[in-house]
Amino acid sequence: QMSAAEGRKKDVSYSTEEGNVALIGDAAHAMTASMGEGGNCAMESAVKLVDAVISIMKEKGETDCTVNTMNEAFINYGISRPKEVQ
């Protein structure tokens, strides 16, 4: 979902529209080896993804994480993370 639709600006997302897959770490935001930031960015992304899962579980009052919860969390993470690392 990292492309523009027919000339219109489309927000970048690190997840698929359905929330089945989310990119994290270097898959989402590649860093050059000389910057030394790839590992830090990956750990930060992992924390943000866990925060998204916990937030959705709290909203739903769940104690066990369901596939639907993961899908929603992937979508929320996917939309919010690119703005943080730009």
Side-chain angles (χ1 to χ4, degrees):
Q1 183 175 332
M2 293 186 171
S3 62
E6 295 185 26
R8 295 185 315 224
K9 184 178 180 194
K10 189 174 185 180
D11 288 336
V12 173
S13 175
Y14 287 168
S15 72
T16 59
E17 289 182 14
E18 304 81 22
N20 296 334
V21 177
L23 300 177
I24 191 167
D26 287 348
H29 34 77
M31 303 285 177
T32 60
S34 63
M35 290 180 66
E37 294 182 22
N40 290 336
C41 241
M43 288 186 281
E44 192 176 87
S45 291
V47 169
K48 295 293 184 177
L49 182 54
V50 169
D51 288 346
V53 171
I54 291 170
S55 175
I56 297 294
M57 287 179 69
K58 283 182 180 178
E59 282 178 24
K60 293 181 168 188
E62 294 178 339
T63 56
D64 295 321
C65 186
T66 64
V67 171
N68 288 337
T69 297
M70 285 301 296
N71 292 350
E72 289 181 48
F74 279 0
I75 291 169
N76 289 351
Y77 160 83
I79 292 169
S80 67
R81 189 67 180 137
K83 296 171 187 160
E84 295 171 352
V85 293
Q86 288 179 350

